[in-house]
């Protein structure tokens, strides 16, 4: 099985073995059997946040294909199997008059991966509405229910993502959504502007969904075979969170380069910290939309023509080439601003 065919960026060599698990029992059995034999395991959802080595994966890839969405318990509570397509989950909750996921429309992948990096966009994060995650623990071989506060959620991270041993397999996710046709208050200025409302206003959830999808399409952030800029893993770098000293250093470097008028954009990240858009740092370090040297080590990989933060496979790229481009950008930003960018996707068999 060629993993390039199962990743949205179209990269990755072969897997030694491949199992598609359609039920929780099949999923647990596949993982437990591999673990018992000392076989490395890679859990695959929609392959939209994975960069896999050209050499592939020397072990068993288990694709999560479980299905099911149930409204249970309290009104607004929805439990979703890990293998459900995420955007279909969002659409379905809105169709059932539930709000809280509308800004996460158009994000590719499966529901079970959403807690892994605490998927977020346009002012919403899944951690705001997840009440619990049902997991299989590969060490104890038990199935357990983790409440939200045990998941270690942070900005684009969780304890699942931080655990390099990938001990926990997500079987299902439970969300508590608001019952009613209106969206959660719109938090993101760009989205509020597109909707023609003020930040903090509510709009019909389905309108918020349409606006989000339109904004995302313009940035190549909705998978579309006809859009070569969507052959990516989404944002390649996480927006760095800086303390006052690091921000001051960025401001000094930016003024030295672009003059005293320049203002470094930032968003409050709490505790005296700010989030600075990685896209701004990348562009200002000299890597604009569409950048991608041909003929060099990164041949075939380039920055999206629509969104500076997405690295795309223009069709002929290799994983080695993508990583070479990512390194060049990371080093360029570090040399210019002293900020070390970290990759957002999970890297398998490669490192930056
Ligand atoms: C065009 C595009 C736009 C994107 N936009 C956004 C965005 O706006 N916001 C955002 O946060 N992300 C975004 N992403 C990234 C990605 O879509 C999300 O991270 C998504 O949740 C990944 O889901 P997946 O099923 O494809 O996971 P995969 O890529 O298959 O896996 C990602 C990681 O999760 C692990 N994993 C997957 N399923 C399970 C499971 N059931 N149990 C345990 N581990 C598991 C895998 O082993 C791997 O380590 C975007 C990606 C693309 C290509």
């Amino acid at each position: 099985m060629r993993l390039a065919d199962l990743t949205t960026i179209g990269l990755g060599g072969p897997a030694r073995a491949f199992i598609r698990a359609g039920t929780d029992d099949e999923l647990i059995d596949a993982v437990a059997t591999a673990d018992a034999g000392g076989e490395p395991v890679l859990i695959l959802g929609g392959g939209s946040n994975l960069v896999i080595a050209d050499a592939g994966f020397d072990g068993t890839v288990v694709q999560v294909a479980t299905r099911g969405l149930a409204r249970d318990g309290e009104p607004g509570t929805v439990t979703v199997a890990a293998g459900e397509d995420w955007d279909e989950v969002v659409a379905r909750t809105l169709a059932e008059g539930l709000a809280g996921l509308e800004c996460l429309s158009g994000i590719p992948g499966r529901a079970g991966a959403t807690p892994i990096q605490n998927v977020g966009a346009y002012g919403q994060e899944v951690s705001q509405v997840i009440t619990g995650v049902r997991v299989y623990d590969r060490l104890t071989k038990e199935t357990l229910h983790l409440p939200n506060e045990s998941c270690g959620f942070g900005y684009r991270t969780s304890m699942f993502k931080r655990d390099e041993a990938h001990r926990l397999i997500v079987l299902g996710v439970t969300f508590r959504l608001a019952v009613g046709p209106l969206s959660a208050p719109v938090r993101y200025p760009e989205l509020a502007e597109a909707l023609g409302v003020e930040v903090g206003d509510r709009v019909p959830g389905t309108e918020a969904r349409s606006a989000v999808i339109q904004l995302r399409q313009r940035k190549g952030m909705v998978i579309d075979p006809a859009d070569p800029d969507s052959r990516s893993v989404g944002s390649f770098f996480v927006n760095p969170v800086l303390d006052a000293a690091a921000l001051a250093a960025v401001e000094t470097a930016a003024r030295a380069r672009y003059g005293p008028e320049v203002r470094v954009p930032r968003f409050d990240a709490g505790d005296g910290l700010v989030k600075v858009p990685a896209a701004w740092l990348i562009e200002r370090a000299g890597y604009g939309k569409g950048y991608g040297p041909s003929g060099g080590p990164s041949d075939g990989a380039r920055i999206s023509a629509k969104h500076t933060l997405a690295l795309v496979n223009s069709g002929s790229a290799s994983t080695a080439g993508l990583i070479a481009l990512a390194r060049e950008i990371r080093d360029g930003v570090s040399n210019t601003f002293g900020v070390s960018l970290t990759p957002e996707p999970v890297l398998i068999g490669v490192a930056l």
Side-chain angles (χ1 to χ4, degrees):
M1 174 64 73
R2 225 176 123 250
L3 294 170
D5 296 334
L6 300 172
T7 56
T8 54
I9 196 163
L11 295 175
R16 181 139 53 88
F18 179 84
I19 297 172
R20 188 172 183 277
T23 65
D24 283 356
D25 284 349
E26 285 172 14
L27 178 54
I28 291 170
D29 189 53
V31 173
T33 305
D35 283 348
E39 167 90 349
V41 173
L42 170 63
I43 301 294
L44 178 76
S48 63
N49 213 26
L50 276 170
V51 175
I52 301 174
D54 296 312
F57 184 70
D58 190 18
T60 297
V61 170
V62 181
Q63 188 184 46
V64 184
T66 53
R67 302 302 303 268
L69 185 151
R71 289 188 66 173
D72 41 19
E74 312 261 321
T77 299
V78 180
T79 296
V80 185
E84 283 286 337
D85 178 83
W86 174 248
D87 192 50
E88 283 173 19
V89 171
V90 176
R92 197 161 148 197
T93 57
L94 288 167
E96 295 196 12
L98 300 174
L101 300 178
E102 53 282 350
C103 292
L104 305 176
S105 295
I107 297 178
R110 309 269 165 106
T114 60
I116 308 290
Q117 74 155 4
N118 184 17
V119 157
Y122 295 98
Q124 284 180 356
E125 286 182 336
V126 282
S127 62
Q128 295 163 344
V129 286
I130 286 178
T131 56
V133 180
R134 198 163 56 84
V135 296
Y136 169 68
D137 183 335
R138 294 167 67 186
L139 210 62
T140 63
K141 307 200 181 316
E142 282 171 346
T143 298
L144 50 145
H145 182 87
L146 298 173
N148 177 303
E149 49 289 3
S150 302
C151 296
F153 287 125
Y155 165 57
R156 288 305 166 276
T157 194
S158 68
M159 72 152 175
F160 311 108
K161 188 162 179 182
R162 286 188 289 267
D163 172 22
E164 287 180 7
H166 305 289
R167 173 173 164 179
L168 300 173
I169 310 294
V170 176
L171 302 174
V173 188
T174 301
F175 301 91
R176 172 82 55 80
L177 303 174
V179 180
L182 292 186
S183 70
V186 175
R187 301 243 164 270
Y188 208 75
E190 187 190 15
L191 178 60
E193 197 189 326
L195 286 161
V197 299
E198 299 294 321
V199 168
D201 286 351
R202 294 169 188 265
V203 297
T206 46
E207 271 181 33
R209 172 174 167 79
S210 304
V212 165
I213 290 177
Q214 276 178 23
L215 286 172
R216 295 183 67 93
Q217 279 168 335
R218 269 185 240 149
K219 298 175 188 171
M221 283 293 185
V222 175
I223 298 288
D224 176 358
D227 180 1
D229 283 312
S230 74
R231 198 185 294 169
S232 76
V233 286
S235 300
F236 197 92
F237 295 104
V238 180
N239 293 321
V241 176
L242 306 180
D243 62 17
L247 177 66
V250 173
E251 280 177 323
T252 305
R255 286 190 193 124
R257 207 172 157 108
Y258 294 105
E261 305 298 294
V262 72
R263 187 178 184 278
V264 179
R266 85 267 332 245
F267 303 94
D268 184 25
D271 298 329
L273 303 171
V274 293
K275 205 189 280 179
V276 172
W280 189 90
L281 296 170
I282 292 170
E283 266 178 31
R284 294 291 171 137
Y287 306 98
K289 293 188 178 86
Y291 175 83
S294 56
S298 56
D299 198 14
R302 61 169 174 81
I303 294 179
S304 159
K306 301 191 181 81
H307 188 39
T308 320
L309 214 42
L311 304 189
V312 301
N313 168 9
S314 61
S316 58
S318 61
T319 304
L322 179 82
I323 294 292
L325 177 63
R327 274 193 200 123
E328 183 189 345
I329 294 167
R330 178 203 57 188
D331 293 347
V333 168
S334 173
N335 293 338
T336 309
F337 294 113
V339 173
S340 180
L341 294 180
T342 50
E344 185 184 294
V346 176
L347 309 182
I348 303 293
V350 284
L352 215 57

